[in-house]
Structure formats: structure tokens, C-alpha cells
Amino acid sequence: MFHECDYCFCLNPKGCQQKLDMAKTNGFPASFYGEPGVLGMLANGISAFLVLLQNFNTARTGISPVGVENILAGVHLILIGGICQLVAGLLSFRKYDHLSGTAFIGYAALWGSYGATRIYYGVATGAVTTTMQAQHDTMNNMSTNLTSNLSLLNTTSVLPSLESAAISGLVPYILLSFLLAFCSATVNYIMPFVFGAITLTLIFEAAALVANSWALVVAGILELLILIFAIYGSAALLVKGLTQRLALKGFGTPLFNVLLLGTPNSASAQSIGQEKKKNTKYAEPMALGSFCDTVSSFIFAFYCFGYVTSFALGVAWVSIISAAQLFATYYAHLRQDCYHTTKFGLHATYWLIKAWEEFVASVLIEDANDVSSGREAMVGDWFFVAAALVLCVGSLNTDCLELSHNLLFLLLTISSVPQIPLQGYYVFFGVACSLFTAASLYGTFSRLINTIAEKSLIPVGPQLVSTDQLKRILSCGRSDRRDPGESPQNDQIADALFYISNGVAALSALHAKSTSTNSSFLHLTVPWVLISGAVIQGYVSQVQVRGGRRFGSVIPFFYVVVWATWTWFRFAGVLIQLSPMEAPGFTAGAIAFLVINGFLMLIASYRNLVLLFLTTIMEVVLVCFLLSTLQKLPYELEIAMLAIFSIICIYGALASLVNCIFTQRILPMGQALLKDQKKQEEKPQSPCPVAESRLTSGLLRITKLLDEGGVCGIPTDTVYALAASCKNPQAIEKIYNIKDRPAEKPICICISSVEQLSAAKPPFSPLLWEFMKNVYPGGISCIVSKGDWLYRLGVGAAYDRVGTKDSIMIRVPDHTVTAHLCNLTGPLAITSANPSGEPDSTHHSMVLSRLGHKIQGVLCDGDSKEVVASTVVNCLKIDEGTIGIVREGCVPA
């Protein structure tokens, strides 16, 4: 019989730890990330306990916490419930855990926002206390007493606004937390209780803000339940991680199995829209992105309809959830999903800018007429309208839900155009936010359930335009002329976001001479230029560094500095009345910018014409900046250049997005003017014969080597494997020597299809057959009983050299090349192509470098589909209602 680590490709049961130690951070397989759920649930439990203490104390004494007490509570909530839980969410995404990744990052934003609310309350109530003390100390001075009373009145009037703002933030989290509780019931029966208790707690916390003392007691009891559930759930997960067994109840068995719902046709659901290479290294961030959209749009709807008079607290809630949305963008980038990278990045940029604009309008500018006059001169929002149209174009070949969501975002950007009269502005914007909230809420639920089930259970609508049709429309019937200098690469996934951030900054900076001294305009423009040009573009530069681009993040990072300096000198400098004596310093900086941008033009000439045009126009824009430091700015020239710069950016965003989605040149970006003159270096001689998987001759060559008793490296649907033909038992013995594999470690067999297995007529039960038909082909290996049917399958003389005495593990890879190879050779004995105890090989070059001198050939297929081996399932007792997860691999348990 098989033991816990029988099919784990390591030297001994401790081999998995050896893999963990030797794996690089960038390449950790999902199963190497322990149990981040322990940290996530403990963070929720401890945060609830902190709030519980304050609630019970307030209910007992009737005195609400004030000043430093609230501030310290807020700091602890941000550190524990926010940052610690954020770490758990990030690790869950790397563990390919869709639900936990979405939930923990979402709750991290909740606790962080609630902590910020506590800090706001602490500052406000502290100010009240200080004012009252000042009133008491100056009781004898009538004029001072009057001033203190007025100051006290102004300070206390802030508190109701803070309470309304906190309620506006809690309500969307209540709805989302309920959805998370429902979705978690499809995974286990501990998290539904934790998330359900959080949902009820948020309801009563919101009720307590309306001065209901009984609500504090109920909320405190629920928070105690959160703590108890979280402690038990953390203990269960911790024991599971340490023992690799479900020793405590709660995990492994869901309240109801979502996999048994709906139709089994998952392939049809996945075939809709942009075809993407399966990536189980990182969980899908679509639900998280919709989660963040729901919160932001709901808070704005609450504000637009007048339930909140100030955005002083709302800006903190929206900023925190927008930061969470940037994490969704980041993981979309890691999954090489340029569409969602662009979409969520654009949305996060929009929400951040609008939040800080409303903060400036409601807090820093008191007169509504000044706000209206300042907004009338702003044109940056029109770039968001154009960018939303770009997203609509990019989603034409997706499902109806995705396209509808993008159309509602387009409506949202149109509703926030500042040229709309102030009387109708907030009504229109509020209605658009409400519609967008409803679509985002449904999107969160449908994406999360469908992702967990890996099939379309919640309807999202059909595909409106086929991929081929959209290609023909966008390319205007032109055939795809591939050019190595232009073909989209993985390092170009964030290019569309680069163009968008620059376009928003440029169009926002555009203004006439008459508005250059308008204080309201200058105040409102600062967040537009600074957030898009500096903050978001700084994020883009980090992403492009990770992408491995030749020139790294040089261009975006330089433009971060340019737009930050532009904001400081042209807008903030006027507001703070910058001294004329400091202008020469900006003049020197502008000259340096011109020189550096000249080098960037040279870099751009190695990329494409669009980027070259962009850097060239930026050179003229920098000349205008230089002239402005000398008080000789030609405003007409600057307006024209910034407008042209924005137009180039919108085309660059569209072309980059479309080309990256279809991984081919649909819209021309222009060939590079300069090309690298690479020296023709002689390729080092391969240590063994190699063959291309795309060529029939390559497959025949590897087939011949296997038939002659050779051991070859081959691709599979997970990682690369060493293969030997079952016709040659001595070749299977070679594998043990090549890998330094202990003799007691069994080797599995690989076949092409379930039909090949059924032809051998093994005595499997109907339940086992049904299970195999559902999991094959795919990244699951099934352990079944041995028998004479193996001879009929074609194992022959290798019967005693594969599996154990009583059982055998069978693989049916979801890989055309491997299946065709098995059809040519018969069953293959396979194991991972790595020395025992070392990380798996995820590229044919790794097989050649590590084992090439020991094997007879390698079938080259580039990067593997996964970074971790298959999931091993023990089916020996399936008829008793039990299957065991021997090893969790690319398919989550």
C-alpha cells in the first residue's frame, strides 16, 4: 500500500521540505505555501476581540472611547486586521486559493478602514475634549468663552458626518461578507461561521453608530463568536499543515459541494472570451477586483445622494479599497492577464482620483460656487471616458456580464464629467454609481462561485462577438504580419496601464492661462496629476521591472519624477506661493529632464514608433515646462502638446491592450527604428539529442529512442517528466539511477486516454469510473489496485517495476503531445524530471542542464503549464466513500 509520501518526488518523507528550501521565491509552487488561512483567521479573531473590548466597556459604562484610546485601537486594527490579514491574502493567492485570497484581502481592507475610522473618531473627540478643557480654564474671560463654545460646536458637528461615512462603508462590506459566507460553504464548514459572524457583527456595528447601546452588546457577543470560530479554524488548519491530515473537523468537507451543482460542461464556460494559458500558480483575482468596485461605488453613491456631507472619512475607505484593487491588478499581471491588469488598474486609478477630488472639494474648498468654477476648467475626466471605451472594445469577445460591467463603467465616467452643471452632477453620478454597484456585486458572486467550481454555475451571459470576428474587425481584414520586434511579450502586459496613467496626467495638466491662478482649479487638479502620473505610474514601473524588460522601468520611473515635479511647481507651488528665488532650481531640473528624455527617445527607438512619438512629444512638453520656470510659457503650445500626448496615449493603450490580449499584432505600433545587432554566437552543443514537440519528426524521434530502451525528458500538462517505455523494464531501472531515486519509491504509468484504460477492462466500480471520467484528462493522478488488466493495457514485463505490490498510480495528462506520444509508444513509466529532492523542471532547458548528460533525449516544449506536479488521489477505498489526498499539487484539494 502507499504511504503519505510514496508518490512525492523527493528523497524521503522530508523531501518536500528540501524542495521548499531549494525553491526560489519567484517560483514557489502553490503547495509550498503552508496554510495562510491560519494567519488570516487569527487576524480576524484578534481584530474582533479588540473591538469587543471597547463595545462591552461602552455598554457597561455608557461612555464611548475618546482620544488616544480610539487612536490606539485604530492603529492595532490596521496592523493586525489590515496588514497581517493582507499578508495572508497575498499568500492565499499564491496558493491558488480563490476564496481565501479574495476574502482575506477584502477583510484586510475592512479592518484597515475601520481602524482609520477609529483614528478619525479619536482625533475628533480628542479635539472636543481639548476645547472643553480650554473652555473650563478660561471661564472668567467672556470673549474667550464665546470663542471656545463656537469651536466646540464646529468640532462636534463633525461626528455625525463621521458616523454617516462609517455606515456608508460598512453597508457594502455587509453585502460582500454575506456573499463570502455563502461561497465559503462550498469549501468547508468553518469559514462560513467565521464570515457569517462577521456579517452579523457589521450589521450591529452599523446599528450601534445610530446610538443603540443594545446593538453594542449584540455586536460584542458576535465578535466573541468570531474569536472562538477563528481560534478553532486556525488550530484545525495548523494541525492539518503540520500533520498533512485533517485531524480536526471543519476542513475538507463543505456544507454543500458546489462541484455537484449545475452542468459538468466546464470546458464550454472556459472557452468563452480571451483564450488564456491555464495558470494555477496564482489564484484568479477577478472576484477581488469586482469586490473592490462594489465598495468604492457604494460609498460614492451614499455621498452623492447626500447621506454624507463630507468626504473626509470616505477618502480613507476608498483609498484603502483601491489599494486592494491594485493587488488584484498585480496578480492579474502575474497570471499574464493583460486585460484584467488594465481594467483593475484603470478602476483603482479612477476611484483614487475621484476620492481625493471630493475630499478637496468638501474639506479644503468651502464654497460650492468655487468648486463649480474650478471643475469647469478640468478636462482630465474625458480621458477616463476614452479609456473606458478601450476596455469595452477589449471585452467584446467576453461574456455579457463583463461587457455590461464595462459599459456601466463608461456611463460612470460620463456621469462624472465636470462640465455637467453642479445641480445635476451628483444625481447623475449617484445613479451611475448605484447601477455599477449592483453589477459589481453580482460580478463578485458569479466570478467567485464559477472560479471555485471551475464551471459556469452562475449565469454570465453568452459571448457576443467571437474572437475571430473581433480580430477581423480590429485589423480591418488585414492578415497578421508577425514581426519579432513587435510581437507582444510577457513584459508588455502593463503597457496599456502605462499609457493610461500618462494620458490622464497629461490631459489633467492641460489648462489655459486664465485658470493658472484659480485657487479652486489648482486644488482640484493636484490629485489628478499626482495620483495618475506619479502614484499609479510608480506602481507600473515596479510591475515592468518584474516583467524583465530590457530597459526595466526607466521610462515610467522617469515620468513619475516629471509629473510629481510638474504638480509641485505648476499647481501646489502656486497655492503655497512658492518663492521666486526657488524658480532657478526648477529651471536646472527642467534642463536635466530634457537631457534624460533625449536618452529615453533613443531607448524608445528600439521599441516601437508609438513609444518614440510619445517620448518626442514629451520632449516638447518639457521645453514648455522649462519656459514656465522662466515665466515665458506659451500656453497655446503647451495645450497643443499635452493634447497630442494624450491622443498618443489613448491609441497606445488600445493597441497595447488588443495586441496583448490576442498575443499578436492586431493594431500597428510601428516597427522599431533601431534594432539590436546581436552577435551570432555558436550555440553550445546539447548534452543529448533534442526534438521539437511541434514537429511530427520530433515525436517520431523520441518514440524511437523510447522504443530502443532510452529514457527521455518529455512535457506533460504539469511539469516535465522522465519517461521510459513499459516495453523496456531495464529503462525503468535507469530512471532510479538517473534521479538517485530510492528503490522503495514507486513510479507511475502514463496513458493517453480513459478509453485506452477501459479497453483493458480493469475491474473498477462504477463510482471509480465516474470519478476518472470527471478528472481525466487533467493534473490528477489516481492510485488504484493492480491486476492482470495491466498486461492487457500493455504494461507487460514492466508489471513488477511500476507501482507497488498491490497498487498503481495512473496519469492521463491533458496535453496533446504527451497523449500522442503514448499512442505511439504504449504506456509510459514516468516521474518528474529532476534529481530527487530538488524542485521540478518547468522548462526543457532545466531538464537538459540537470539531467541531459544522463538521458537519451529531450522533447522540447518550452515553459510547462504548471510549476508543480499533479495532485495524487488515493482511490483504493472510493467505494467506501473515502478518497485520500496523498499529495496536493496543481489541482487544489
Side-chain angles (χ1 to χ4, degrees):
M1 300 295 291
F2 287 96
H3 302 288
E4 189 71 19
C5 209
D6 273 350
Y7 280 109
C8 198
F9 303 129
C10 52
L11 187 60
N12 50 52
K14 297 181 179 179
C16 291
Q17 182 61 40
Q18 295 174 7
K19 284 188 181 181
L20 174 59
D21 296 336
M22 300 186 68
K24 300 296 183 183
T25 302
N26 187 37
F28 271 177
S31 59
F32 289 171
Y33 280 99
E35 292 294 346
V38 175
L39 178 60
M41 281 195 286
L42 280 179
N44 275 313
I46 295 173
S47 299
F49 181 69
L50 291 173
V51 180
L52 173 155
L53 294 177
Q54 283 196 331
N55 287 345
F56 279 166
N57 183 65
T58 302
R60 183 178 63 85
T61 62
I63 302 174
S64 300
V66 297
V68 175
E69 183 181 351
N70 250 336
I71 294 174
L72 289 177
V75 171
H76 280 85
L77 287 175
I78 292 173
L79 291 176
I80 299 173
I83 296 177
C84 290
Q85 194 161 196
L86 174 64
V87 172
L90 298 179
L91 291 177
S92 295
F93 266 105
R94 290 180 177 268
K95 194 174 170 60
Y96 196 64
D97 188 342
H98 313 288
L99 175 65
S100 297
T102 302
F104 291 149
I105 293 182
Y107 284 135
L110 167 64
W111 290 116
S113 301
Y114 204 56
T117 303
R118 293 282 181 174
I119 293 173
Y120 268 84
Y121 266 89
V123 171
T125 53
V128 171
T129 304
T130 303
T131 305
M132 293 179 65
Q133 183 64 40
Q135 178 183 1
H136 176 75
D137 293 342
T138 57
M139 188 65 70
N140 297 328
N141 188 325
M142 294 300 296
S143 61
T144 306
N145 187 30
L146 177 61
T147 303
S148 298
N149 282 329
L150 291 173
S151 180
L152 176 61
L153 180 63
N154 291 334
T155 305
T156 53
S157 66
V158 175
L159 294 179
S161 177
L162 289 179
E163 291 172 354
S164 301
I167 292 173
S168 72
L170 288 175
V171 173
Y173 278 108
I174 291 171
L175 299 174
L176 291 165
S177 185
F178 173 76
L179 292 184
L180 290 174
F182 177 82
C183 293
S184 63
T186 67
V187 179
N188 54 67
Y189 55 85
I190 288 296
M191 295 176 80
F193 287 102
V194 177
F195 297 163
I198 292 176
T199 304
L200 294 174
T201 298
L202 294 178
I203 293 174
F204 287 100
E205 284 288 342
L209 291 173
V210 195
N212 290 320
S213 58
W214 61 269
L216 286 176
V217 177
V218 177
I221 294 172
L222 291 169
E223 283 152 359
L224 182 60
L225 290 177
I226 294 174
L227 178 62
I228 294 172
F229 292 146
I231 290 176
Y232 178 81
S234 301
L237 275 179
L238 189 60
V239 171
K240 172 180 176 286
L242 294 174
T243 65
Q244 294 298 304
R245 290 179 176 84
L246 296 172
L248 296 177
K249 300 291 184 181
F251 292 91
T253 305
L255 290 176
F256 64 90
N257 195 340
V258 71
L259 298 177
L260 300 180
L261 301 178
T263 61
N265 187 11
S266 61
S268 62
Q270 292 175 354
S271 64
I272 292 178
Q274 295 121 10
E275 296 178 3
K276 294 186 287 289
K277 185 179 182 181
K278 185 182 178 185
N279 185 336
T280 56
K281 184 178 178 183
Y282 305 105
E284 296 181 7
M286 295 71 159
L288 177 60
S290 297
F291 182 110
C292 299
D293 279 331
T294 303
V295 176
S296 297
S297 56
F298 188 94
I299 292 173
F300 270 103
F302 225 78
Y303 174 73
C304 290
F305 290 135
Y307 294 103
V308 182
T309 57
S310 170
F311 216 68
L313 182 58
V315 69
W317 284 73
V318 175
S319 296
I320 290 172
I321 197 64
S322 297
Q325 195 162 33
L326 286 178
F327 283 111
T329 304
Y330 181 66
Y331 278 101
H333 169 261
L334 293 183
R335 289 177 58 85
Q336 301 178 13
D337 183 353
C338 58
Y339 169 75
H340 286 100
T341 299
T342 305
K343 176 183 177 177
F344 295 144
L346 174 65
H347 289 193
T349 306
Y350 178 80
W351 295 124
L352 278 172
I353 290 176
K354 296 303 293 184
W356 284 97
E357 179 192 349
E358 292 300 336
F359 171 79
V360 170
S362 62
V363 177
L364 300 183
I365 305 175
E366 299 178 358
D367 193 342
N369 293 326
D370 290 341
V371 173
S372 180
S373 65
R375 277 180 170 158
E376 286 177 357
M378 299 172 65
V379 294
D381 206 284
W382 288 101
F383 194 93
F384 277 119
V385 175
L389 281 170
V390 168
L391 275 184
C392 290
V393 172
S395 62
L396 284 174
N397 66 325
T398 58
D399 53 65
C400 287
L401 177 62
E402 188 66 28
L403 181 58
S404 300
H405 196 248
N406 287 335
L407 288 173
L408 286 173
F409 183 72
L410 174 62
L411 176 66
L412 193 67
T413 58
I414 294 174
S415 69
S416 60
V417 168
Q419 282 69 39
I420 298 175
L422 195 61
Q423 295 82 358
Y425 174 86
Y426 284 109
V427 175
F428 190 10
F429 190 32
V431 171
C433 284
S434 301
L435 294 173
F436 191 72
T437 299
S440 299
L441 189 64
Y442 183 79
T444 304
F445 178 60
S446 61
R447 301 302 183 198
L448 196 54
I449 286 290
N450 293 346
T451 300
I452 293 172
E454 296 189 354
K455 56 184 175 182
S456 186
L457 292 179
I458 309 300
V460 293
Q463 182 181 6
L464 297 178
V465 180
S466 70
T467 300
D468 291 335
Q469 286 177 332
L470 185 58
K471 285 182 182 180
R472 285 196 298 271
I473 293 171
L474 292 174
S475 61
C476 300
R478 292 179 291 107
S479 59
D480 175 36
R481 296 170 296 174
R482 295 183 179 273
D483 183 351
E486 265 193 290
S487 58
Q489 304 294 330
N490 293 341
D491 64 355
Q492 299 175 20
I493 294 171
D495 277 5
L497 198 54
F498 161 76
Y499 286 112
I500 288 173
S501 59
N502 277 291
V504 173
L507 205 60
S508 302
L510 190 152
H511 65 281
K513 185 175 182 179
S514 58
T515 58
S516 60
T517 56
N518 185 327
S519 175
S520 298
F521 170 80
L522 297 175
H523 271 105
L524 293 168
T525 304
V526 167
W528 280 82
V529 180
L530 190 63
I531 291 175
S532 59
V535 177
I536 299 300
Q537 193 160 204
Y539 159 78
V540 172
S541 68
Q542 174 60 30
V543 168
Q544 291 192 338
V545 165
R546 183 180 177 86
R549 175 165 291 179
R550 177 184 174 187
F551 297 108
S553 60
V554 175
I555 294 179
F557 182 78
F558 173 70
Y559 287 173
V560 167
V561 179
V562 169
W563 291 120
T565 307
W566 190 292
T567 305
W568 176 250
F569 181 75
R570 297 292 298 277
F571 304 117
V574 177
L575 293 173
I576 64 175
Q577 298 179 347
L578 198 65
S579 171
M581 299 296 293
E582 298 181 26
F586 286 96
T587 303
I591 295 172
F593 285 166
L594 285 168
V595 175
I596 296 172
N597 195 68
F599 285 106
L600 297 187
M601 292 168 61
L602 180 62
I603 292 175
S605 64
Y606 281 94
R607 296 303 303 272
N608 54 63
L609 287 181
V610 173
L611 189 59
L612 179 59
F613 288 156
L614 188 78
T615 53
T616 303
I617 297 299
M618 176 58 86
E619 189 77 0
V620 184
V621 171
L622 290 174
V623 170
C624 294
F625 181 72
L626 172 62
L627 293 175
S628 69
T629 65
L630 302 173
Q631 305 299 319
K632 297 180 180 180
L633 173 63
Y635 278 90
E636 294 77 9
L637 175 63
E638 182 183 77
I639 290 173
M641 290 300 103
L642 288 174
I644 295 173
F645 188 89
S646 300
I647 293 171
I648 294 174
C649 284
I650 200 64
Y651 178 79
L654 176 61
S656 298
L657 180 62
V658 169
N659 294 347
C660 199
I661 285 175
F662 298 114
T663 61
Q664 65 186 72
R665 181 179 56 164
I666 303 296
L667 295 177
M669 297 283 284
Q671 296 186 7
L673 291 184
L674 302 177
K675 296 185 178 181
D676 294 332
Q677 299 296 327
K678 297 181 179 179
K679 295 181 179 179
Q680 297 295 327
E681 299 179 359
E682 293 185 2
K683 293 183 179 180
Q685 186 174 0
S686 175
C688 68
V690 295
E692 290 290 335
S693 64
R694 293 174 294 179
L695 302 178
T696 302
S697 59
L699 277 175
L700 294 175
R701 186 178 184 187
I702 295 298
T703 300
K704 183 180 179 182
L705 291 171
L706 291 171
D707 288 340
E708 292 174 350
V711 175
C712 297
I714 64 169
T716 69
D717 56 344
T718 55
V719 294
Y720 275 80
L722 292 182
S725 174
C726 289
K727 301 171 186 175
N728 300 291
Q730 71 281 3
I732 300 175
E733 295 177 1
K734 289 182 184 177
I735 291 179
Y736 284 91
N737 296 326
I738 291 170
K739 289 191 53 158
D740 294 327
R741 184 180 179 84
E744 67 271 12
K745 306 289 284 185
I747 287 179
C748 71
I749 62 171
C750 174
I751 58 178
S752 63
S753 65
V754 178
E755 288 72 21
Q756 184 181 1
L757 183 63
S758 61
K761 298 181 179 179
F764 295 164
S765 67
L767 181 60
L768 179 55
W769 276 119
E770 184 65 23
F771 179 75
M772 286 185 167
K773 288 176 182 177
N774 277 278
V775 301
Y776 287 153
I780 288 181
S781 302
C782 294
I783 300 174
V784 297
S785 297
K786 264 187 169 182
D788 293 340
W789 58 272
L790 283 171
Y791 291 101
R792 297 190 293 271
L793 184 64
V795 171
Y799 182 92
D800 295 327
R801 289 175 173 80
V802 292
T804 65
K805 180 181 178 181
D806 304 309
S807 55
I808 182 74
M809 185 169 78
I810 301 174
R811 282 274 280 128
V812 184
D814 188 11
H815 197 277
T816 304
V817 172
T818 314
H820 189 36
L821 186 63
C822 289
N823 283 330
L824 294 173
T825 64
L828 293 174
I830 65 168
T831 180
S832 60
N834 60 289
S836 288
E838 294 189 13
D840 297 317
S841 297
T842 56
H843 193 276
H844 60 256
S845 61
M846 296 177 67
V847 182
L848 287 168
S849 62
R850 298 199 287 182
L851 301 173
H853 58 291
K854 296 182 178 181
I855 59 181
Q856 284 67 55
V858 173
L859 187 58
C860 301
D861 195 49
D863 289 318
S864 62
K865 291 181 64 176
E866 308 291 349
V867 294
V868 65
S870 63
T871 296
V872 179
V873 180
N874 190 334
C875 300
L876 295 172
K877 297 182 179 180
I878 191 170
D879 294 325
E880 300 174 14
T882 301
I883 61 172
I885 306 299
V886 178
R887 179 190 67 205
E888 186 173 6
C890 64
V891 178

